[in-house]
Amino acid sequence: MNIASFLSARVARSALNAARFLSPFRLVAFVRSFARLPLSASALVIGHWSLVTFTELRAAEVPLASATIGDFNKAFSAGTLTSEKLVSLYLARVAAYEPTLNAVITLNPKALDEARALDAERKAGKVRSPLHGIPVVYKDNFDTFDLPTTGGFYGLKGSIPPRDATITARLRAAGAIVLAKVNTSEFASGGAMSSLIGQSHNPHALDYTPSGSSGGTGVAIAAYYSPLGYGSDTGGSIRGPSTSNGIVGLKPTHGLLSRAGIIPLALSFDTGGPMTRSVYDIAISLNVTAGEPDPRDDATQKSVGKVAKDYTAFLKKDALKGARIGVARDFFGQDPEVDVTIESALAILKAQGATLVDIKYPPILLSMRGELYNAIRRPEFKAQIADYLATLKPGYPKNIDDLLALSEKVSAVTPEGYWPNPGRLALYRAESKAVPLTDAGYLAAKTHGMAFVRDTLQALIEKEKLDAIVYPTNPRRPALIGEAPAPGAADTRVS
């Protein structure tokens, strides 16, 4: 197991009032019944149960909620499902639940045409990959050459970048279909709220947050808009929405996947990664998006010689036998329901052969993490967002001062439907005052602070002979929308 890769799974409330839950829109693909692949191979999929139930159907019908990408491929091969039909079913769900969930910024108007073309390829004997004909949703900070990429900011409405993000391009080349661009915390910072379309809602309980910043992707996967989505993570932005929406998400090791063409927040931390409903689908997607180093992203050089040929090969039922897993107790004790959920999952890990070792992080590591993060993140955003904005066409903002000025203009919902975003506005103000990347304090934090965190964790891992460390992605249940997070909530980052 690679400790730098974190799989987030739900840490959610099991007894929420059923009236608060959005009833599923029962759409099914009429395909033959087939067995689901085992999902127990991932040690860090914890507390993963369904809050949405579907009526039992005849053996010849399979609800969208129950099928993995592997299952869809079996149906494609059997001739009982087409990509056009699959895309149609997902588009129907979007139509049924938007704008109630308010997750979608842009739908791809050519999605069905692309599906038909890929069906024709399949019929002619060409299958590009297991993602051939599979729809994908993207957080709207992933560049798409044919659809706007806004970062959730109203000032970038209509901005079409010159080329795809590398992840987007690799998925398209593998036959995946861009179904939609979905909501994001504005420029990937904060809750699931953007000035472009406003607040997204948790599909399990509409008055609760889906968390950010990849909240739109989390909502879309949980609401069955698509079997696969992509988000980005700087300080928890894949992991948080994955736990709050009850799905599976992966923050990859830094450098495993290219960040080129993802609007940057802080490249020292930024990663892009998959969000799905099964560990199998995470592995399938990595087979496409991990690979050769990207000349557009120097960080990918770190993964040379370390990329697996087939990540599904690691999904083994006995994978936990003999594994030593550290349990980071620093993040327990804030919510009894979360603790009970995690303890139940830990018991399952132990029953499957893992040895659990309670650990505590050094106090200095916990006390410095917030300040260290901001000492790097704010200066990097100020500089790196300007680099990104310079690639866009004329007429769009070019630097942090432009973003701040435009944000200050929206103090109430506008006739165009733009939303005030006071939380992000406060961050723009702080970022505008950030030091340059030549500043000695920034350089010390980046060079020595990050090394201290890495070396401290590595020493702990070696001392206890650990294969992985587990902890609740969020030590508290999702908050009500508009409710201030409790101290320490959603802050389990140490890198």
Side-chain angles (χ1 to χ4, degrees):
M1 301 178 194
N2 190 330
I3 187 56
S5 293
F6 295 92
L7 284 173
S8 289
R10 90 174 349 131
V11 178
R13 191 174 179 176
S14 63
L16 281 171
N17 188 326
R20 288 179 171 174
F21 287 82
L22 188 65
S23 298
F25 183 60
R26 295 182 178 87
L27 282 174
V28 296
F30 290 83
V31 297
R32 295 176 185 171
S33 178
F34 32 72
R36 297 188 67 189
L37 295 174
L39 303 182
S40 60
S42 174
L44 300 185
V45 178
I46 50 183
H48 189 78
W49 65 84
S50 177
L51 295 179
V52 180
T53 59
F54 283 77
T55 303
E56 288 296 323
L57 301 169
R58 298 191 305 273
E61 302 175 1
V62 178
L64 291 181
S66 72
T68 67
I69 290 171
D71 294 334
F72 290 138
N73 274 286
K74 290 180 182 179
F76 288 150
S77 297
T80 55
L81 180 67
T82 64
S83 178
E84 180 183 2
K85 179 63 175 178
L86 186 63
V87 170
S88 296
L89 290 170
Y90 282 121
L91 287 174
R93 289 196 63 84
V94 173
Y97 289 137
E98 290 295 310
T100 300
L101 296 180
N102 203 36
V104 175
I105 290 179
T106 304
L107 275 176
N108 180 6
K110 298 181 180 179
L112 282 171
D113 292 338
E114 293 171 15
R116 294 184 192 104
L118 288 161
D119 283 337
E121 282 189 16
R122 186 183 295 274
K123 189 174 182 180
K126 179 181 179 181
V127 178
R128 303 185 193 184
S129 80
L131 296 183
H132 187 108
I134 298 295
V136 182
V137 297
Y138 295 84
K139 182 178 182 177
D140 201 21
N141 62 346
F142 280 71
D143 280 353
T144 44
F145 78 90
D146 52 354
L147 294 170
T149 299
T150 69
F153 183 55
Y154 85 95
L156 291 187
K157 183 177 181 179
S159 174
I160 297 181
R163 61 191 295 188
D164 275 343
T166 297
I167 286 177
T168 313
R170 288 182 177 180
L171 288 165
R172 285 202 215 241
I177 299 166
V178 178
L179 186 73
K181 306 292 288 295
V182 294
N183 203 19
T184 168
S185 310
E186 197 166 311
F187 289 115
S189 191
M193 167 77 183
S194 71
S195 61
L196 186 58
I197 68 169
Q199 175 72 51
S200 293
H201 297 269
N202 193 309
H204 301 298
L206 297 179
D207 49 348
Y208 282 75
T209 178
S211 298
S213 64
S214 305
T217 310
V219 171
I221 299 302
Y224 312 111
Y225 287 1
S226 173
L228 173 62
Y230 266 77
S232 64
D233 192 311
T234 306
S237 293
I238 288 174
R239 292 163 285 170
S242 293
T243 193
S244 291
N245 292 283
I247 63 171
V248 184
L250 176 69
K251 178 195 175 183
T253 304
H254 194 265
L256 179 64
L257 304 187
S258 172
R259 292 88 45 82
I262 301 176
I263 298 176
L265 179 57
L267 290 174
S268 289
F269 304 121
D270 288 352
T271 59
M275 300 168 70
T276 72
R277 290 187 298 276
S278 74
V279 179
Y280 175 85
D281 288 351
I282 293 283
I284 282 288
S285 69
L286 285 181
N287 286 347
V288 169
T289 52
E292 293 299 316
D294 182 5
R296 298 171 63 198
D297 183 2
D298 291 341
T300 56
Q301 291 292 333
K302 295 188 293 185
S303 291
V304 173
K306 300 176 182 178
V307 178
K309 292 183 178 179
D310 180 10
Y311 284 92
T312 65
F314 299 103
L315 303 183
K316 300 176 181 179
K317 290 183 177 180
D318 62 351
L320 291 178
K321 288 184 178 178
R324 285 178 61 84
I325 298 177
V327 181
R329 291 290 173 183
D330 303 276
F331 308 113
F332 288 66
Q334 297 187 38
D335 186 323
E337 289 197 30
V338 170
D339 289 351
V340 167
T341 300
I342 299 300
E343 294 294 351
S344 298
L346 292 174
I348 294 172
L349 302 187
K350 188 173 181 179
Q352 292 184 354
T355 297
L356 303 182
V357 182
D358 285 351
I359 62 171
K360 289 276 191 176
Y361 288 153
I364 188 173
L365 191 65
L366 297 173
S367 64
M368 69 181 289
R369 55 192 168 140
E371 290 188 13
L372 176 63
Y373 176 77
N374 285 327
I376 297 171
R377 187 201 109 20
R378 290 177 181 176
E380 290 197 357
F381 180 74
K382 182 179 181 178
Q384 293 163 2
I385 193 60
D387 294 339
Y388 175 83
L389 295 173
T391 69
L392 305 182
K393 296 176 181 178
Y396 291 102
K398 294 302 180 186
N399 52 48
I400 185 65
D401 293 331
D402 291 347
L403 302 182
L404 175 58
L406 288 170
S407 185
E408 287 177 333
K409 289 182 177 180
V410 182
S411 58
V413 179
T414 70
E416 299 88 353
Y418 305 146
W419 287 75
N421 196 348
R424 193 61 184 89
L425 175 58
L427 286 173
Y428 288 138
R429 288 171 175 157
E431 291 155 352
S432 69
K433 299 174 183 177
V435 299
L437 299 189
T438 55
D439 179 79
Y442 161 77
L443 292 172
K446 179 177 171 62
T447 304
H448 303 296
M450 291 180 65
F452 173 79
V453 172
R454 180 178 59 250
D455 293 346
T456 301
L457 283 175
Q458 188 63 40
L460 179 61
I461 290 167
E462 292 176 0
K463 176 185 176 183
E464 300 293 347
K465 298 181 174 59
L466 302 178
D467 295 294
I469 298 175
V470 299
Y471 50 85
T473 304
N474 190 331
R476 293 179 180 271
R477 287 163 284 171
L480 286 164
I481 291 172
E483 179 181 63
D491 190 5
T492 55
R493 62 174 178 258
V494 291
S495 63

